């Protein structure tokens, strides 16, 4: 779902939808929070800034949507996808490049990178606990 955290940009892909979020939002933390909120509250949302365009991911118990906002809003319906599979992909994507995601928003300050890495890791642990409970 997310990859290539370099130079303040990353790639986001969900089936046929592709976006390029910038560092103006904390992509891994925001996504992890959205899925944690989904488990804790029944719904989750995350907004991505592409610096000129934007899109949002909306998660409910029965729906998974992306609202793309360019010239006009476009609704992408991915409700046929299993939320559990999307979560597993997110967890895998973050774990496979934790260093890159930790550096994604941080200035080249090693302490800031370590703090951000720990924050991401803590959110991963929380989400994994929810996914383990729901097996």
């Amino acid at each position: 779902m997310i990859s290539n955290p370099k130079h303040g940009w990353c790639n986001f892909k969900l089936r046929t939808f592709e976006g390029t979020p910038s560092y103006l939002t904390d992509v891994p933390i925001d996504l992890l929070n959205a899925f944690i909120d989904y488990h804790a509250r029944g719904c989750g949302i995350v907004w991505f800034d592409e610096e000129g365009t934007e899109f949002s991911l909306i998660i409910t118990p029965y729906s998974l949507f992306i609202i793309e906002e360019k010239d006009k809003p476009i609704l992408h319906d991915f409700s046929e996808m299993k939320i559990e599979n999307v979560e597993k992909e997110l967890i895998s994507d973050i774990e496979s490049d934790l260093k890159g995601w930790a550096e994604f928003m941080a200035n080249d300050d090693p302490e800031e990178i370590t703090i951000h890495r720990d924050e991401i890791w803590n959110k991963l642990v929380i989400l994994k606990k929810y996914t383990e409970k729901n097996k």
Side-chain angles (χ1 to χ4, degrees):
M1 177 188 328
I2 58 174
S3 62
N4 198 29
K6 291 187 175 37
H7 312 297
W9 298 93
C10 68
N11 299 325
F12 178 100
K13 183 171 176 34
L14 190 62
R15 293 242 169 122
T16 57
F17 178 81
E18 294 185 30
T20 312
S22 82
Y23 71 97
L24 295 177
T25 60
D26 192 340
V27 174
I29 291 292
D30 291 350
L31 275 164
L32 290 164
N33 282 336
F35 281 95
I36 291 167
D37 285 348
Y38 163 72
H39 286 284
R41 298 185 179 115
C43 65
I45 185 167
V46 58
W47 171 78
F48 302 95
D49 190 328
E50 296 180 299
E51 297 188 31
T53 59
E54 57 193 58
F55 65 96
S56 300
L57 174 69
I58 296 97
I59 311 159
T60 72
Y62 307 106
S63 306
L64 183 65
F65 297 110
I66 289 180
I67 300 172
E68 179 180 17
E69 298 186 51
K70 293 190 176 176
D71 296 331
K72 63 179 182 163
I74 299 169
L75 179 67
H76 300 268
D77 186 350
F78 298 107
S79 298
E80 79 284 352
M81 294 181 76
K82 289 188 173 203
I83 305 274
E84 298 82 23
N85 293 341
V86 179
E87 283 178 324
K88 287 177 188 172
E89 183 179 350
L90 173 64
I91 290 166
S92 174
D93 291 346
I94 293 172
E95 286 181 335
S96 69
D97 193 4
L98 185 58
K99 182 179 184 291
W101 291 114
E103 295 171 348
F104 184 65
M105 289 191 64
N107 303 330
D108 294 323
D109 178 359
E111 186 176 338
E112 189 177 320
I113 292 168
T114 299
I115 290 168
H116 194 229
R117 184 199 63 221
D118 292 348
E119 181 182 11
I120 293 168
W121 185 255
N122 291 334
K123 297 285 183 181
L124 278 168
V125 168
I126 293 167
L127 182 57
K128 284 180 172 184
K129 283 181 184 174
Y130 277 121
T131 59
E132 291 295 317
K133 236 191 269 187
N134 293 330
K135 281 187 174 180

